Amino acid sequence: MRILGIDTSCDDTAVALLKVGNSKFEILSNIVSSQVKIHQKYGGVYPFLAKREHQKNLPIVLKSAIKGYKFSNIDLIGVTVGPGLEPCLWQGINFAKEIARKHKKPLIPVNHIEAHILANFINRSSTAIKFPAVALVVSGGHTQLVLIKKIGQYKLIGETRDDAAGECFDKVARILDLGYPGGPAIAAQAAKFKKDKNYTGVELLYSLPRPMIKQKNYDFSFSGLKTAVLYKVKEKKYNKKAMAAEVQQAIIDVLIYKTLKAVKDYKVKSVLLGGGVAANDELRKQFRKKTKIFVPPKNLCTDNAAMVAATCYFHRKERKKLEGIKADANFRIKNL
Ligand code: KG4
Ligand code: ZN
């Protein structure tokens, strides 16, 4: 079976073609057209500009994703319907509907958060991941802990009460004048700092807060961390690299602590990571020191459409009429 995936939930125009045989996924193409250069000057994503870019890019990205393949050999189309930026989501949905109508293919609506979780099933034996599992989804818009009874059966056990982890990276990078997207920029500065100082991981120069770490729940809060950085910067007593290393460490400490708490309390058998922040080397390394984790390769952590096609496969029987497929900017995983 061949599945076409489409994602335009934020600022990446993504189309991928996935081959599925014996529940194993093989990526035939995975094209992502980034708009980073366009949004850089705004320090974040500007939705209506992103929508216009998606409209321009979708036919080009589709063409390169299906190069060498015929539509007659594609069985199914999956498209992200939420959560995400509404004008951007509609662009992908309407484009997917057009193709589905023209080529008479079924179209399956996909939840972007579930797709970040199920990216872990690409290029891996489907029996490697044991249930119940817990997934930490850390992206630009979301920070969620999801208990997975089995694929398709989820319970949202914790989430951020304000900013997402990725949003915190992005906002701190803006304060430190490091550019957009902030995650990779902060990670690069932090790596330089560690190299310079032969950093061991325990030396905490600025002692930023670890928000909500002491609370007996699985929720997060990152806006205070950003404010704490802002105060240090206003005092003008800071070193950019050290601050980057410390903010990254504060985010990592909270993410690992809360995830391990869920592992213990729910007696889970597998830990899954997903979302753009899961591409962070230090997060991956420090998690691995504490527990076995499943985490996709970096290009499947950040937004992509291969994960959408994989999720479409698991929901392939949930067919809907095209008119009933709509954008849902706040699509919650617990509704699945
Ligand atoms: O999942 P994603 O590509 O898009 C959303 O669904 O939001 O996540 C984007 C977020 C951004 O906030 C970006 O700064 C962050 O992921 N990110 C990282 C890294 N790469 C991307 N954060 C920390 N370290 C990274 N290496
Ligand atoms: Zn995402």
Side-chain angles (χ1 to χ4, degrees):
M1 172 182 268
R2 287 196 176 99
I3 305 174
L4 188 74
I6 299 172
D7 186 285
T8 58
S9 58
C10 193
D11 60 339
D12 288 313
T13 313
V15 183
L17 194 58
L18 204 66
K19 188 178 165 187
V20 194
N22 299 326
S23 296
K24 269 201 110 177
F25 300 104
E26 185 196 334
I27 295 177
L28 300 177
S29 69
N30 187 22
I31 314 291
V32 181
S33 168
S34 165
Q35 301 177 9
V36 162
K37 287 213 173 84
I38 291 160
H39 299 284
Q40 238 157 15
K41 54 178 171 285
Y42 303 100
V45 181
Y46 189 35
F48 285 92
L49 208 54
K51 175 193 154 166
R52 201 188 66 191
E53 287 304 302
H54 286 313
Q55 187 173 19
K56 212 165 72 188
N57 294 336
L58 272 164
I60 304 163
V61 177
L62 172 73
K63 202 172 164 192
S64 93
I66 59 165
K67 202 173 172 194
Y69 299 95
K70 290 193 187 117
F71 259 105
S72 53
N73 293 328
I74 293 172
D75 303 279
L76 214 53
I77 303 169
V79 65
T80 297
V81 296
L85 302 170
E86 181 145 353
C88 298
L89 290 165
W90 272 117
Q91 211 61 53
I93 294 168
N94 287 333
F95 185 73
K97 283 185 182 179
E98 240 175 75
I99 310 173
R101 221 172 262 126
K102 186 171 167 199
H103 298 282
K104 298 190 173 53
K105 304 290 173 188
L107 181 65
I108 307 286
V110 168
N111 178 299
H112 186 80
I113 300 287
E114 186 183 19
H116 272 306
I117 297 172
L118 300 184
N120 280 292
F121 287 84
I122 300 173
N123 296 333
R124 183 173 281 131
S125 148
S126 62
T127 53
I129 294 169
K130 307 277 183 233
F131 300 104
V134 73
L136 172 70
V137 182
V138 268
S139 68
H142 296 86
T143 298
Q144 296 189 337
L145 270 170
V146 180
L147 185 68
I148 313 168
K149 287 189 186 161
K150 61 178 195 179
I151 294 173
Q153 273 188 24
Y154 309 100
K155 187 178 174 200
L156 182 63
I157 57 171
E159 66 184 325
T160 184
R161 299 200 178 162
D162 40 58
D163 292 352
E167 197 175 352
C168 182
F169 271 114
D170 294 337
K171 286 180 174 170
V172 169
R174 208 180 313 167
I175 295 170
L176 298 179
D177 208 13
L178 291 174
Y180 174 84
I186 291 202
Q189 291 294 313
K192 278 187 193 158
F193 175 72
K194 287 186 181 185
K195 225 169 157 187
D196 290 353
K197 304 279 289 182
N198 205 11
Y199 188 78
T200 59
V202 276
E203 181 188 355
L204 299 173
L205 278 185
Y206 291 97
S207 257
L208 289 172
R210 268 57 176 164
M212 293 185 72
I213 205 161
K214 296 249 165 69
Q215 292 189 15
K216 290 189 171 70
N217 55 40
Y218 311 98
D219 284 344
F220 305 89
S221 162
F222 292 106
S223 75
L225 197 50
K226 165 203 70 194
T227 314
V229 173
L230 197 59
Y231 281 127
K232 304 267 184 207
V233 170
K234 277 190 178 153
E235 285 166 19
K236 292 195 168 45
K237 285 187 275 171
Y238 75 104
N239 164 296
K240 240 185 220 190
K241 288 183 208 151
M243 185 70 89
E246 167 64 352
V247 81
Q248 176 177 267
Q249 192 57 50
I251 294 172
I252 290 174
D253 285 347
V254 180
L255 293 177
I256 294 184
Y257 186 89
K258 294 270 174 165
T259 307
L260 294 184
K261 178 173 159 54
V263 169
K264 194 167 151 236
D265 295 352
Y266 287 94
K267 298 186 176 57
V268 306
K269 294 186 179 145
S270 307
V271 181
L272 279 55
L273 304 193
V277 179
N280 185 280
D281 282 322
E282 206 51 46
L283 177 71
R284 296 159 85 104
K285 195 169 103 190
Q286 294 188 28
F287 245 119
R288 284 192 176 113
K289 278 191 187 158
K290 302 257 181 191
T291 189
K292 180 182 172 185
I293 52 163
F294 292 93
V295 58
K298 290 181 191 177
N299 68 325
L300 298 182
C301 286
T302 46
D303 284 351
N304 66 88
M307 67 181 194
V308 175
T311 307
C312 172
Y313 173 76
F314 290 113
H315 291 282
R316 64 194 176 281
K317 298 207 173 107
E318 297 160 28
R319 310 252 163 128
K320 259 187 157 183
K321 285 201 174 128
L322 290 186
E323 309 78 66
I325 299 178
K326 295 188 168 84
D328 182 354
N330 301 312
F331 195 2
R332 310 256 302 162
I333 199 154
K334 71 173 179 189
N335 295 336
L336 289 175

